[in-house]
Amino acid sequence: AMAIKRELPPAQDYNKRDLLSMEKEMLGIYLTGHPLKEMEELVIEASSCDTEALNEENSKYKNAQPVSIAGIISSVRKLITKKGDQMAALRLEDLYGDIEIIVFPKAFEKCRDELAEDNIVLIKGKLDMKEDIPKILADSVDPLVSYSSGAARRQTKMVKLVIPETVSEEDALRKYRMIARAHRGEMPVAILCLQTGHKYKVDFDLWVENSSEFFSKCREAFGEECVRDEGC
């Protein structure tokens, strides 16, 4: 009998991300690594919390606290509200575990293109700690690669507001609350009221976003010289 020798042409190996994706699809686990491991430093730097810390028995995190968390989307369920609007429930996996992310209609409209399995994203939102297992209510879902040394990567250093003597302390704190509630975020704020000399570090639920609009509102309320150590 004649032997038939078959030679297959050389083929390139799968790239690592495709290989990991196939492992997860076929086996339900990542076998040869984790997609986030190669960008571990970026994941840690971009995140203000992680799933391990959120699930600790005496977690330092509080309900409605603004947070950011980076990870890979492991599943997506798209839902319809009673009003007919689209929203989604995601499972986000970081380096330690996973967490449920709820994306309500307003946020869904802004980030629908990012809501796909295997996308590596940075999610910003607020904690829902009302039940035994924490969730995050997303305000935004962006590609993690967009978190760079540019505008998206500004550090959330503390901003200081100096209230002039012409504004009473009571009026200043009332106005600040109104501004902060419209611009909630992850940047802490300290306030000095010159009329009384009192200094305040505001609670986390009145921390603010690092945006030009927030600083503009403060200057309108308290004068052009009120902002010190501006984050933007």
Side-chain angles (χ1 to χ4, degrees):
M2 183 181 293
I4 299 175
K5 185 178 181 182
R6 291 178 176 168
E7 291 185 1
L8 297 175
Q12 289 185 337
D13 289 337
Y14 291 108
N15 69 52
K16 191 160 187 179
R17 183 162 182 182
D18 288 342
L19 180 62
L20 290 171
S21 179
M22 286 189 290
E23 288 176 356
K24 187 68 181 284
E25 185 177 351
M26 297 293 292
L27 305 173
I29 59 170
Y30 296 113
L31 193 64
T32 57
H34 194 287
L36 299 177
K37 201 65 184 172
E38 291 183 354
M39 51 179 71
E40 182 174 3
E41 286 186 14
L42 182 59
V43 169
I44 292 170
E45 185 176 348
S47 303
S48 65
C49 66
D50 59 58
T51 55
E52 184 176 52
L54 288 174
N55 285 292
E56 286 176 353
E57 189 172 342
N58 296 310
S59 174
K60 66 180 181 179
Y61 297 95
K62 300 177 182 179
N63 188 59
Q65 182 171 346
V67 293
S68 58
I69 186 168
I72 184 168
I73 297 174
S74 58
S75 70
V76 181
R77 282 189 301 126
K78 292 185 179 175
L79 309 166
I80 304 292
T81 68
K82 291 179 180 178
K83 293 182 179 179
D85 299 320
Q86 281 191 290
M87 59 175 288
L90 320 176
R91 297 300 301 184
L92 184 82
E93 186 174 328
D94 68 2
L95 292 160
Y96 309 100
D98 65 354
I99 188 168
E100 185 173 13
I101 311 290
I102 305 298
V103 186
F104 287 118
K106 187 176 178 181
F108 183 92
E109 286 303 312
K110 294 186 292 184
C111 62
R112 61 167 68 228
D113 293 341
E114 301 306 324
L115 306 182
E117 288 186 21
D118 296 330
N119 277 1
I120 296 175
V121 295
L122 174 63
I123 292 175
K124 294 184 178 182
K126 295 177 181 63
L127 285 175
D128 181 348
M129 305 284 280
K130 294 174 185 174
E131 300 176 7
D132 292 339
I133 300 174
K135 301 185 187 103
I136 293 175
L137 311 181
D139 293 323
S140 65
V141 181
D142 296 300
L144 181 58
V145 291
S146 69
Y147 180 85
S148 66
S149 58
R153 198 174 175 179
R154 292 176 185 137
Q155 295 299 309
T156 56
K157 66 179 183 179
M158 179 176 288
V159 64
K160 297 174 185 175
L161 295 180
V162 178
I163 310 301
E165 292 183 5
T166 53
V167 181
S168 73
E169 182 174 300
E170 183 180 356
D171 197 31
L173 297 178
R174 180 182 59 79
K175 286 181 178 178
Y176 173 78
R177 288 189 194 97
M178 291 176 62
I179 296 169
R181 284 171 181 154
H183 298 280
R184 284 180 175 165
E186 298 175 45
M187 184 166 64
V189 177
I191 298 174
L192 169 61
C193 294
L194 292 181
Q195 191 181 81
T196 60
H198 292 160
K199 298 177 182 178
Y200 299 90
K201 284 185 179 178
V202 305
D203 200 14
F204 76 87
D205 62 342
L206 289 175
W207 288 6
V208 295
E209 63 185 3
N210 190 350
S211 70
S212 57
E213 187 177 354
F214 165 74
F215 294 113
S216 176
K217 291 290 184 185
C218 287
R219 291 190 176 99
E220 284 179 23
F222 309 123
E224 287 297 318
E225 303 301 317
C226 71
V227 178
R228 310 289 167 84
D229 296 335
E230 182 175 332
C232 281

Short mmCIF file of all heavy atoms in Angstrom, two decimals, residues 62-125:
data_model
loop_
_atom_site.label_atom_id
_atom_site.label_comp_id
_atom_site.label_asym_id
_atom_site.label_seq_id
_atom_site.Cartn_x
_atom_site.Cartn_y
_atom_site.Cartn_z
N LYS A 62 -19.48 52.85 51.48
CA LYS A 62 -20.83 53.16 51.94
C LYS A 62 -21.79 53.24 50.76
O LYS A 62 -21.38 53.48 49.62
CB LYS A 62 -20.83 54.51 52.68
CG LYS A 62 -19.93 54.53 53.91
CD LYS A 62 -19.94 55.91 54.55
CE LYS A 62 -19.01 55.98 55.76
NZ LYS A 62 -19.00 57.33 56.36
N ASN A 63 -23.06 53.06 51.06
CA ASN A 63 -24.09 53.16 50.03
C ASN A 63 -24.07 54.54 49.38
O ASN A 63 -23.89 55.56 50.04
CB ASN A 63 -25.47 52.90 50.65
CG ASN A 63 -26.54 52.80 49.60
OD1 ASN A 63 -26.47 51.95 48.72
ND2 ASN A 63 -27.54 53.65 49.68
N ALA A 64 -24.20 54.57 48.06
CA ALA A 64 -24.22 55.79 47.24
C ALA A 64 -22.86 56.45 47.08
O ALA A 64 -22.76 57.53 46.49
CB ALA A 64 -25.24 56.80 47.77
N GLN A 65 -21.80 55.82 47.57
CA GLN A 65 -20.46 56.40 47.43
C GLN A 65 -20.01 56.34 45.97
O GLN A 65 -20.13 55.31 45.32
CB GLN A 65 -19.46 55.63 48.30
CG GLN A 65 -18.05 56.19 48.25
CD GLN A 65 -17.15 55.53 49.28
OE1 GLN A 65 -17.62 54.87 50.19
NE2 GLN A 65 -15.85 55.71 49.13
N PRO A 66 -19.49 57.45 45.41
CA PRO A 66 -18.97 57.42 44.04
C PRO A 66 -17.72 56.55 43.96
O PRO A 66 -16.83 56.65 44.81
CB PRO A 66 -18.63 58.88 43.74
CG PRO A 66 -19.33 59.67 44.79
CD PRO A 66 -19.42 58.80 45.99
N VAL A 67 -17.64 55.69 42.94
CA VAL A 67 -16.49 54.81 42.77
C VAL A 67 -16.16 54.66 41.29
O VAL A 67 -16.98 54.97 40.42
CB VAL A 67 -16.74 53.39 43.36
CG1 VAL A 67 -16.87 53.44 44.87
CG2 VAL A 67 -17.98 52.74 42.73
N SER A 68 -14.96 54.18 41.03
CA SER A 68 -14.59 53.76 39.68
C SER A 68 -13.95 52.38 39.79
O SER A 68 -13.26 52.09 40.77
CB SER A 68 -13.61 54.75 39.05
OG SER A 68 -12.45 54.89 39.85
N ILE A 69 -14.22 51.52 38.80
CA ILE A 69 -13.67 50.16 38.82
C ILE A 69 -13.39 49.72 37.39
O ILE A 69 -14.22 49.92 36.49
CB ILE A 69 -14.63 49.19 39.54
CG1 ILE A 69 -13.98 47.81 39.70
CG2 ILE A 69 -15.98 49.11 38.84
CD1 ILE A 69 -14.73 46.89 40.65
N ALA A 70 -12.22 49.15 37.18
CA ALA A 70 -11.83 48.66 35.86
C ALA A 70 -11.91 47.14 35.83
O ALA A 70 -11.65 46.47 36.83
CB ALA A 70 -10.41 49.12 35.54
N GLY A 71 -12.28 46.60 34.68
CA GLY A 71 -12.37 45.15 34.56
C GLY A 71 -12.82 44.74 33.17
O GLY A 71 -12.91 45.56 32.25
N ILE A 72 -13.13 43.45 33.03
CA ILE A 72 -13.57 42.91 31.76
C ILE A 72 -15.03 42.47 31.89
O ILE A 72 -15.42 41.87 32.90
CB ILE A 72 -12.67 41.73 31.32
CG1 ILE A 72 -13.07 41.21 29.94
CG2 ILE A 72 -12.65 40.61 32.34
CD1 ILE A 72 -12.05 40.26 29.33
N ILE A 73 -15.84 42.82 30.91
CA ILE A 73 -17.25 42.46 30.94
C ILE A 73 -17.39 40.97 30.61
O ILE A 73 -16.99 40.53 29.53
CB ILE A 73 -18.06 43.31 29.93
CG1 ILE A 73 -18.00 44.79 30.31
CG2 ILE A 73 -19.52 42.84 29.88
CD1 ILE A 73 -18.66 45.71 29.30
N SER A 74 -17.93 40.20 31.56
CA SER A 74 -18.07 38.76 31.34
C SER A 74 -19.46 38.37 30.85
O SER A 74 -19.63 37.30 30.26
CB SER A 74 -17.73 37.99 32.62
OG SER A 74 -18.55 38.40 33.69
N SER A 75 -20.47 39.22 31.09
CA SER A 75 -21.81 38.94 30.55
C SER A 75 -22.62 40.22 30.49
O SER A 75 -22.37 41.16 31.24
CB SER A 75 -22.54 37.89 31.40
OG SER A 75 -22.90 38.43 32.66
N VAL A 76 -23.57 40.23 29.57
CA VAL A 76 -24.43 41.40 29.37
C VAL A 76 -25.87 40.92 29.20
O VAL A 76 -26.15 40.03 28.41
CB VAL A 76 -24.04 42.19 28.10
CG1 VAL A 76 -24.95 43.41 27.93
CG2 VAL A 76 -22.59 42.61 28.13
N ARG A 77 -26.78 41.50 29.99
CA ARG A 77 -28.22 41.26 29.79
C ARG A 77 -28.87 42.61 29.48
O ARG A 77 -28.84 43.51 30.31
CB ARG A 77 -28.87 40.66 31.05
CG ARG A 77 -28.64 39.20 31.25
CD ARG A 77 -29.50 38.65 32.38
NE ARG A 77 -29.24 39.32 33.65
CZ ARG A 77 -30.17 39.90 34.40
NH1 ARG A 77 -31.44 39.92 34.00
NH2 ARG A 77 -29.87 40.47 35.55
N LYS A 78 -29.44 42.73 28.31
CA LYS A 78 -30.12 43.97 27.95
C LYS A 78 -31.60 43.84 28.32
O LYS A 78 -32.23 42.81 28.08
CB LYS A 78 -29.94 44.26 26.47
CG LYS A 78 -28.47 44.61 26.17
CD LYS A 78 -28.23 45.04 24.75
CE LYS A 78 -26.74 45.39 24.56
NZ LYS A 78 -26.42 45.71 23.16
N LEU A 79 -32.13 44.88 28.94
CA LEU A 79 -33.47 44.85 29.50
C LEU A 79 -34.28 46.04 28.97
O LEU A 79 -33.72 47.02 28.48
CB LEU A 79 -33.39 44.92 31.03
CG LEU A 79 -32.46 43.90 31.70
CD1 LEU A 79 -32.22 44.28 33.14
CD2 LEU A 79 -33.06 42.50 31.62
N ILE A 80 -35.59 45.93 29.10
CA ILE A 80 -36.50 47.01 28.72
C ILE A 80 -37.28 47.44 29.95
O ILE A 80 -37.85 46.61 30.66
CB ILE A 80 -37.48 46.56 27.62
CG1 ILE A 80 -36.73 46.04 26.38
CG2 ILE A 80 -38.42 47.70 27.23
CD1 ILE A 80 -35.96 47.08 25.63
N THR A 81 -37.30 48.75 30.23
CA THR A 81 -38.05 49.27 31.37
C THR A 81 -39.54 49.31 31.04
O THR A 81 -39.95 49.12 29.88
CB THR A 81 -37.59 50.69 31.75
OG1 THR A 81 -37.97 51.59 30.70
CG2 THR A 81 -36.08 50.75 31.94
N LYS A 82 -40.36 49.60 32.04
CA LYS A 82 -41.81 49.70 31.83
C LYS A 82 -42.15 50.82 30.85
O LYS A 82 -43.18 50.79 30.18
CB LYS A 82 -42.52 49.94 33.16
CG LYS A 82 -42.48 48.73 34.09
CD LYS A 82 -43.17 49.02 35.41
CE LYS A 82 -43.11 47.80 36.33
NZ LYS A 82 -43.74 48.07 37.65
N LYS A 83 -41.28 51.84 30.78
CA LYS A 83 -41.51 52.94 29.85
C LYS A 83 -41.02 52.63 28.44
O LYS A 83 -41.17 53.44 27.53
CB LYS A 83 -40.80 54.20 30.35
CG LYS A 83 -41.38 54.76 31.64
CD LYS A 83 -40.65 56.04 32.04
CE LYS A 83 -41.23 56.64 33.31
NZ LYS A 83 -40.51 57.88 33.70
N GLY A 84 -40.41 51.44 28.28
CA GLY A 84 -39.92 51.06 26.96
C GLY A 84 -38.49 51.47 26.67
O GLY A 84 -38.02 51.34 25.54
N ASP A 85 -37.77 51.97 27.68
CA ASP A 85 -36.38 52.37 27.49
C ASP A 85 -35.45 51.18 27.70
O ASP A 85 -35.75 50.27 28.48
CB ASP A 85 -36.00 53.48 28.48
CG ASP A 85 -36.84 54.73 28.29
OD1 ASP A 85 -37.10 55.08 27.13
OD2 ASP A 85 -37.24 55.35 29.29
N GLN A 86 -34.29 51.23 27.04
CA GLN A 86 -33.31 50.15 27.19
C GLN A 86 -32.36 50.42 28.36
O GLN A 86 -31.96 51.56 28.61
CB GLN A 86 -32.49 49.98 25.91
CG GLN A 86 -33.21 49.21 24.83
CD GLN A 86 -32.26 48.84 23.71
OE1 GLN A 86 -31.80 49.69 22.96
NE2 GLN A 86 -31.97 47.56 23.58
N MET A 87 -32.02 49.35 29.06
CA MET A 87 -31.01 49.40 30.11
C MET A 87 -30.27 48.07 30.08
O MET A 87 -30.55 47.22 29.22
CB MET A 87 -31.64 49.66 31.48
CG MET A 87 -32.65 48.63 31.91
SD MET A 87 -33.27 48.91 33.59
CE MET A 87 -31.82 48.45 34.57
N ALA A 88 -29.32 47.87 30.98
CA ALA A 88 -28.55 46.63 30.97
C ALA A 88 -28.07 46.26 32.36
O ALA A 88 -27.92 47.11 33.23
CB ALA A 88 -27.35 46.77 30.02
N ALA A 89 -27.84 44.96 32.53
CA ALA A 89 -27.20 44.43 33.74
C ALA A 89 -25.95 43.68 33.28
O ALA A 89 -26.04 42.79 32.42
CB ALA A 89 -28.15 43.50 34.49
N LEU A 90 -24.80 44.05 33.81
CA LEU A 90 -23.52 43.45 33.41
C LEU A 90 -22.92 42.68 34.57
O LEU A 90 -23.20 42.96 35.74
CB LEU A 90 -22.51 44.52 33.01
CG LEU A 90 -22.94 45.73 32.19
CD1 LEU A 90 -21.75 46.68 32.03
CD2 LEU A 90 -23.45 45.30 30.85
N ARG A 91 -22.06 41.72 34.25
CA ARG A 91 -21.11 41.18 35.22
C ARG A 91 -19.74 41.70 34.81
O ARG A 91 -19.31 41.51 33.67
CB ARG A 91 -21.09 39.65 35.24
CG ARG A 91 -22.38 38.98 35.65
CD ARG A 91 -22.86 39.33 37.02
NE ARG A 91 -21.93 39.02 38.10
CZ ARG A 91 -22.22 39.18 39.39
NH1 ARG A 91 -23.40 39.70 39.75
NH2 ARG A 91 -21.35 38.86 40.32
N LEU A 92 -19.09 42.38 35.74
CA LEU A 92 -17.75 42.90 35.49
C LEU A 92 -16.76 42.11 36.34
O LEU A 92 -16.94 41.97 37.54
CB LEU A 92 -17.65 44.38 35.86
CG LEU A 92 -16.30 45.02 35.53
CD1 LEU A 92 -16.25 45.40 34.05
CD2 LEU A 92 -16.04 46.23 36.40
N GLU A 93 -15.71 41.62 35.71
CA GLU A 93 -14.70 40.83 36.40
C GLU A 93 -13.41 41.64 36.51
O GLU A 93 -12.90 42.14 35.51
CB GLU A 93 -14.45 39.54 35.61
CG GLU A 93 -13.52 38.55 36.28
CD GLU A 93 -13.43 37.25 35.51
OE1 GLU A 93 -14.44 36.85 34.88
OE2 GLU A 93 -12.35 36.63 35.53
N ASP A 94 -12.91 41.80 37.75
CA ASP A 94 -11.61 42.45 37.91
C ASP A 94 -10.59 41.39 38.30
O ASP A 94 -10.79 40.20 38.04
CB ASP A 94 -11.68 43.62 38.89
CG ASP A 94 -11.94 43.19 40.34
OD1 ASP A 94 -12.04 41.97 40.60
OD2 ASP A 94 -12.05 44.08 41.21
N LEU A 95 -9.49 41.78 38.92
CA LEU A 95 -8.41 40.82 39.22
C LEU A 95 -8.73 39.92 40.40
O LEU A 95 -7.99 38.97 40.67
CB LEU A 95 -7.11 41.59 39.49
CG LEU A 95 -6.52 42.32 38.28
CD1 LEU A 95 -5.57 43.42 38.73
CD2 LEU A 95 -5.82 41.34 37.35
N TYR A 96 -9.84 40.18 41.11
CA TYR A 96 -10.13 39.45 42.34
C TYR A 96 -11.46 38.70 42.32
O TYR A 96 -11.65 37.75 43.08
CB TYR A 96 -10.12 40.42 43.53
CG TYR A 96 -8.87 41.27 43.57
CD1 TYR A 96 -8.88 42.58 43.11
CD2 TYR A 96 -7.67 40.75 44.04
CE1 TYR A 96 -7.74 43.35 43.12
CE2 TYR A 96 -6.52 41.52 44.06
CZ TYR A 96 -6.56 42.83 43.59
OH TYR A 96 -5.41 43.58 43.60
N GLY A 97 -12.39 39.13 41.49
CA GLY A 97 -13.70 38.51 41.48
C GLY A 97 -14.60 39.24 40.50
O GLY A 97 -14.12 39.86 39.55
N ASP A 98 -15.91 39.19 40.73
CA ASP A 98 -16.80 39.92 39.83
C ASP A 98 -17.90 40.62 40.60
O ASP A 98 -18.10 40.39 41.79
CB ASP A 98 -17.37 39.00 38.74
CG ASP A 98 -18.28 37.91 39.30
OD1 ASP A 98 -18.40 37.79 40.54
OD2 ASP A 98 -18.88 37.18 38.51
N ILE A 99 -18.62 41.51 39.91
CA ILE A 99 -19.64 42.34 40.54
C ILE A 99 -20.70 42.67 39.49
O ILE A 99 -20.41 42.75 38.30
CB ILE A 99 -19.02 43.63 41.12
CG1 ILE A 99 -20.05 44.40 41.97
CG2 ILE A 99 -18.45 44.53 40.03
CD1 ILE A 99 -19.43 45.52 42.79
N GLU A 100 -21.94 42.86 39.97
CA GLU A 100 -23.02 43.24 39.06
C GLU A 100 -23.00 44.76 38.87
O GLU A 100 -22.86 45.52 39.82
CB GLU A 100 -24.38 42.80 39.61
CG GLU A 100 -25.51 43.09 38.64
CD GLU A 100 -26.85 42.52 39.09
OE1 GLU A 100 -26.96 42.12 40.26
OE2 GLU A 100 -27.77 42.50 38.26
N ILE A 101 -23.17 45.16 37.62
CA ILE A 101 -23.24 46.57 37.25
C ILE A 101 -24.60 46.83 36.61
O ILE A 101 -24.98 46.13 35.66
CB ILE A 101 -22.14 46.96 36.23
CG1 ILE A 101 -20.75 46.45 36.68
CG2 ILE A 101 -22.15 48.46 35.97
CD1 ILE A 101 -20.16 47.15 37.86
N ILE A 102 -25.32 47.81 37.12
CA ILE A 102 -26.61 48.17 36.53
C ILE A 102 -26.43 49.46 35.72
O ILE A 102 -25.90 50.45 36.22
CB ILE A 102 -27.68 48.41 37.62
CG1 ILE A 102 -27.80 47.17 38.53
CG2 ILE A 102 -29.02 48.74 36.98
CD1 ILE A 102 -28.23 45.91 37.84
N VAL A 103 -26.84 49.40 34.47
CA VAL A 103 -26.72 50.57 33.58
C VAL A 103 -28.14 51.02 33.23
O VAL A 103 -28.82 50.41 32.41
CB VAL A 103 -25.94 50.22 32.30
CG1 VAL A 103 -25.69 51.49 31.47
CG2 VAL A 103 -24.62 49.53 32.62
N PHE A 104 -28.60 52.09 33.88
CA PHE A 104 -29.95 52.60 33.65
C PHE A 104 -30.03 53.33 32.31
O PHE A 104 -29.00 53.63 31.70
CB PHE A 104 -30.36 53.51 34.81
CG PHE A 104 -30.67 52.76 36.08
CD1 PHE A 104 -29.93 52.97 37.23
CD2 PHE A 104 -31.70 51.82 36.11
CE1 PHE A 104 -30.21 52.27 38.40
CE2 PHE A 104 -31.99 51.12 37.28
CZ PHE A 104 -31.25 51.34 38.42
N PRO A 105 -31.24 53.61 31.83
CA PRO A 105 -31.41 54.12 30.46
C PRO A 105 -30.56 55.34 30.10
O PRO A 105 -30.00 55.41 29.00
CB PRO A 105 -32.91 54.45 30.39
CG PRO A 105 -33.54 53.44 31.30
CD PRO A 105 -32.56 53.30 32.44
N LYS A 106 -30.46 56.31 31.00
CA LYS A 106 -29.70 57.53 30.68
C LYS A 106 -28.24 57.20 30.38
O LYS A 106 -27.66 57.70 29.40
CB LYS A 106 -29.80 58.52 31.84
CG LYS A 106 -29.20 59.88 31.55
CD LYS A 106 -29.43 60.84 32.71
CE LYS A 106 -28.78 62.19 32.44
NZ LYS A 106 -28.99 63.13 33.58
N ALA A 107 -27.63 56.35 31.22
CA ALA A 107 -26.24 55.94 30.99
C ALA A 107 -26.14 55.00 29.79
O ALA A 107 -25.17 55.04 29.03
CB ALA A 107 -25.68 55.28 32.24
N PHE A 108 -27.14 54.14 29.62
CA PHE A 108 -27.14 53.17 28.52
C PHE A 108 -27.02 53.89 27.17
O PHE A 108 -26.27 53.45 26.29
CB PHE A 108 -28.41 52.32 28.57
CG PHE A 108 -28.48 51.25 27.51
CD1 PHE A 108 -28.01 49.98 27.78
CD2 PHE A 108 -29.01 51.52 26.26
CE1 PHE A 108 -28.07 48.99 26.81
CE2 PHE A 108 -29.07 50.54 25.28
CZ PHE A 108 -28.60 49.27 25.56
N GLU A 109 -27.76 54.97 27.01
CA GLU A 109 -27.74 55.70 25.74
C GLU A 109 -26.34 56.22 25.41
O GLU A 109 -25.95 56.29 24.26
CB GLU A 109 -28.73 56.87 25.77
CG GLU A 109 -30.18 56.45 25.66
CD GLU A 109 -30.46 55.64 24.40
OE1 GLU A 109 -30.03 56.07 23.30
OE2 GLU A 109 -31.07 54.56 24.51
N LYS A 110 -25.58 56.59 26.45
CA LYS A 110 -24.25 57.16 26.24
C LYS A 110 -23.20 56.09 25.96
O LYS A 110 -22.19 56.37 25.31
CB LYS A 110 -23.83 57.99 27.46
CG LYS A 110 -24.66 59.22 27.70
CD LYS A 110 -24.10 60.06 28.84
CE LYS A 110 -24.23 59.36 30.18
NZ LYS A 110 -23.78 60.19 31.31
N CYS A 111 -23.41 54.87 26.47
CA CYS A 111 -22.31 53.88 26.42
C CYS A 111 -22.73 52.55 25.80
O CYS A 111 -22.03 51.56 25.98
CB CYS A 111 -21.75 53.66 27.82
SG CYS A 111 -22.95 52.99 28.99
N ARG A 112 -23.82 52.50 25.06
CA ARG A 112 -24.32 51.23 24.53
C ARG A 112 -23.27 50.48 23.70
O ARG A 112 -23.23 49.26 23.71
CB ARG A 112 -25.59 51.44 23.71
CG ARG A 112 -25.41 52.33 22.50
CD ARG A 112 -26.62 52.24 21.55
NE ARG A 112 -27.82 52.81 22.10
CZ ARG A 112 -29.00 52.19 22.08
NH1 ARG A 112 -29.11 50.98 21.57
NH2 ARG A 112 -30.07 52.79 22.57
N ASP A 113 -22.41 51.22 22.98
CA ASP A 113 -21.42 50.58 22.12
C ASP A 113 -20.33 49.84 22.90
O ASP A 113 -19.64 48.99 22.35
CB ASP A 113 -20.76 51.61 21.19
CG ASP A 113 -21.74 52.18 20.17
OD1 ASP A 113 -22.79 51.54 19.94
OD2 ASP A 113 -21.47 53.26 19.64
N GLU A 114 -20.17 50.19 24.18
CA GLU A 114 -19.13 49.54 25.00
C GLU A 114 -19.65 48.30 25.72
O GLU A 114 -18.88 47.55 26.31
CB GLU A 114 -18.60 50.52 26.05
CG GLU A 114 -17.99 51.78 25.48
CD GLU A 114 -16.90 51.49 24.46
OE1 GLU A 114 -16.14 50.52 24.65
OE2 GLU A 114 -16.82 52.23 23.46
N LEU A 115 -20.98 48.06 25.66
CA LEU A 115 -21.59 47.00 26.47
C LEU A 115 -21.56 45.67 25.71
O LEU A 115 -22.57 45.20 25.20
CB LEU A 115 -23.02 47.37 26.85
CG LEU A 115 -23.18 48.73 27.54
CD1 LEU A 115 -24.63 48.97 27.93
CD2 LEU A 115 -22.28 48.83 28.76
N ALA A 116 -20.38 45.07 25.65
CA ALA A 116 -20.21 43.79 24.96
C ALA A 116 -19.25 42.90 25.75
O ALA A 116 -18.31 43.40 26.38
CB ALA A 116 -19.69 44.00 23.54
N GLU A 117 -19.50 41.60 25.74
CA GLU A 117 -18.63 40.66 26.44
C GLU A 117 -17.20 40.80 25.96
O GLU A 117 -16.94 41.04 24.78
CB GLU A 117 -19.13 39.22 26.23
CG GLU A 117 -20.40 38.90 26.99
CD GLU A 117 -20.78 37.43 26.88
OE1 GLU A 117 -19.90 36.61 26.58
OE2 GLU A 117 -21.96 37.13 27.08
N ASP A 118 -16.26 40.63 26.88
CA ASP A 118 -14.81 40.67 26.64
C ASP A 118 -14.27 42.09 26.47
O ASP A 118 -13.06 42.26 26.29
CB ASP A 118 -14.39 39.81 25.45
CG ASP A 118 -14.67 38.34 25.68
OD1 ASP A 118 -14.64 37.90 26.84
OD2 ASP A 118 -14.92 37.62 24.70
N ASN A 119 -15.12 43.10 26.51
CA ASN A 119 -14.61 44.47 26.49
C ASN A 119 -13.97 44.81 27.84
O ASN A 119 -14.54 44.51 28.89
CB ASN A 119 -15.72 45.48 26.20
CG ASN A 119 -16.01 45.62 24.71
OD1 ASN A 119 -15.40 44.95 23.89
ND2 ASN A 119 -16.95 46.48 24.37
N ILE A 120 -12.80 45.41 27.79
CA ILE A 120 -12.11 45.84 29.01
C ILE A 120 -12.43 47.31 29.21
O ILE A 120 -12.11 48.15 28.36
CB ILE A 120 -10.60 45.59 28.90
CG1 ILE A 120 -10.34 44.08 28.80
CG2 ILE A 120 -9.87 46.17 30.10
CD1 ILE A 120 -8.89 43.70 28.57
N VAL A 121 -13.08 47.62 30.32
CA VAL A 121 -13.68 48.94 30.49
C VAL A 121 -13.37 49.55 31.85
O VAL A 121 -12.95 48.85 32.79
CB VAL A 121 -15.22 48.87 30.32
CG1 VAL A 121 -15.59 48.48 28.89
CG2 VAL A 121 -15.85 47.92 31.33
N LEU A 122 -13.60 50.84 31.95
CA LEU A 122 -13.56 51.57 33.21
C LEU A 122 -14.97 52.07 33.49
O LEU A 122 -15.55 52.79 32.67
CB LEU A 122 -12.59 52.74 33.16
CG LEU A 122 -12.56 53.65 34.38
CD1 LEU A 122 -12.10 52.88 35.62
CD2 LEU A 122 -11.66 54.86 34.14
N ILE A 123 -15.53 51.65 34.61
CA ILE A 123 -16.90 52.02 34.98
C ILE A 123 -16.86 53.00 36.14
O ILE A 123 -16.18 52.77 37.14
CB ILE A 123 -17.72 50.78 35.33
CG1 ILE A 123 -17.93 49.94 34.07
CG2 ILE A 123 -19.07 51.16 35.97
CD1 ILE A 123 -18.63 48.63 34.29
N LYS A 124 -17.59 54.10 36.00
CA LYS A 124 -17.76 55.06 37.09
C LYS A 124 -19.22 55.09 37.47
O LYS A 124 -20.10 55.05 36.61
CB LYS A 124 -17.28 56.45 36.67
CG LYS A 124 -15.78 56.52 36.41
CD LYS A 124 -15.34 57.93 36.08
CE LYS A 124 -13.82 57.98 35.87
NZ LYS A 124 -13.37 59.36 35.60
N GLY A 125 -19.49 55.14 38.76
CA GLY A 125 -20.87 55.15 39.21
C GLY A 125 -20.96 55.26 40.71
O GLY A 125 -20.04 55.74 41.37
#
